[in-house]
Amino acid sequence: MTEFEFTCTGVRADAYAAGPTLVFRLGIRTADPQARVHALALRCQIRIEPARRGYGPAEAEGLADLFGERSRWGTTLQPVQFAHVTAMVPSFTGKTETDLVVPCTYDMDIAASRYFSALEEGEVPLLMLFSGTAFTGAGGFHVEPVPWDREASFRMPVPVWQQMVEQHFPGCGWLRLPRATMADLLAFRSRHALASWEATVRALLDTAAPLRPPQPDPLRLGAAPRVTERTAP
């Protein structure tokens, strides 16, 4: 059986993709440098390993809804599923490099997106788990499985994710709502002739904002003298 070794050498945001997309650069090597691989149908599962990095106070606050308070992280800081993708690697002998395209989402209901959004700097520890089917052989085709224990670790810079999101949602966030709630929002927007969704949400926030408590009158902080009295010099 052909022995495969996988490494991840880099990642970039695809500037020309229709939606948010990361492109990981994979290195593939066989134990025998002369081994002929006609094609490789590759499957890759990518996991986030949050326990393999530290977090600042603001990041910890942003991750509270995923992992709870920092005092509980010893048991709650478990791996998070990021993506499950496939790739077809063309023929090579000994070693090759290929791109692994990973479509992403900015849906904040997805745990991975919430995790990425909470990070301010540093790197994201990823674990890439490989499997698939290899078509090998120097004089013909042999069909072999890619062993399930093939894996590679990679630390993705947080700015790469931020750059990808900014390309498709510049200066914006994303919120998913049920159809009934969207219909109510649209009716509210129409009734008040609001020009945008931002203005609609802002109007609702202003309406729901608590009234400011009345400010104390400085003239009433002490007893006001009567007009017939003299004040002390």
Side-chain angles (χ1 to χ4, degrees):
M1 181 178 292
T2 305
E3 291 290 334
F4 291 96
E5 176 186 345
F6 297 90
T7 57
C8 184
T9 60
V11 63
R12 59 181 173 84
D14 190 342
Y16 303 102
T21 303
L22 293 174
V23 181
F24 292 87
R25 191 65 176 172
L26 294 183
I28 307 172
R29 182 189 302 270
T30 59
D32 179 2
Q34 303 302 319
R36 178 69 172 172
V37 179
H38 300 285
L40 184 60
L42 193 62
R43 294 188 296 271
C44 180
Q45 182 181 166
I46 306 177
R47 294 178 183 172
I48 303 168
E49 295 195 310
R52 291 174 50 202
R53 62 157 285 167
Y55 302 91
E59 293 174 331
E61 183 178 351
L63 293 171
D65 61 336
L66 284 179
F67 306 119
E69 298 298 325
R70 193 189 285 268
S71 59
R72 300 177 52 208
W73 283 9
T75 56
T76 62
L77 218 60
Q78 299 298 319
V80 176
Q81 181 74 15
F82 174 32
H84 198 164
V85 294
T86 60
M88 199 68 189
V89 182
S91 174
F92 67 94
T93 300
K95 63 179 180 180
T96 189
E97 289 191 352
T98 190
D99 286 337
L100 185 68
V101 179
V102 180
C104 302
T105 177
Y106 194 39
D107 186 347
M108 297 306 291
D109 287 340
I110 305 299
S113 298
R114 281 152 55 197
Y115 176 84
F116 289 130
S117 298
L119 303 184
E120 297 180 340
E121 57 185 9
E123 298 173 329
V124 180
L126 301 176
L127 180 64
M128 311 178 83
L129 306 172
F130 298 97
S131 61
T133 304
F135 302 89
T136 64
F141 282 97
H142 300 281
V143 180
E144 304 177 7
V146 176
W148 284 87
D149 62 350
R150 303 295 91 177
E151 62 183 44
S153 297
F154 181 68
R155 302 187 72 87
M156 182 181 75
V158 171
V160 174
W161 173 270
Q162 296 170 341
Q163 176 189 0
M164 179 196 69
V165 172
E166 189 65 18
Q167 287 175 356
H168 296 275
F169 305 97
C172 300
W174 191 93
L175 182 65
R176 185 176 66 179
L177 296 173
R179 289 192 181 94
T181 304
M182 284 296 300
D184 291 341
L185 278 175
L186 182 59
F188 179 87
R189 176 178 174 177
S190 299
R191 285 196 307 270
H192 294 81
L194 298 169
S196 65
W197 286 115
E198 180 183 359
T200 303
V201 175
R202 178 54 58 190
L204 289 169
L205 289 175
D206 291 343
T207 302
L211 296 176
R212 294 181 60 187
Q215 300 297 317
D217 187 348
L219 296 179
R220 295 181 177 274
L221 294 178
R226 290 181 297 179
V227 293
T228 57
E229 293 180 346
R230 294 180 60 185
T231 58

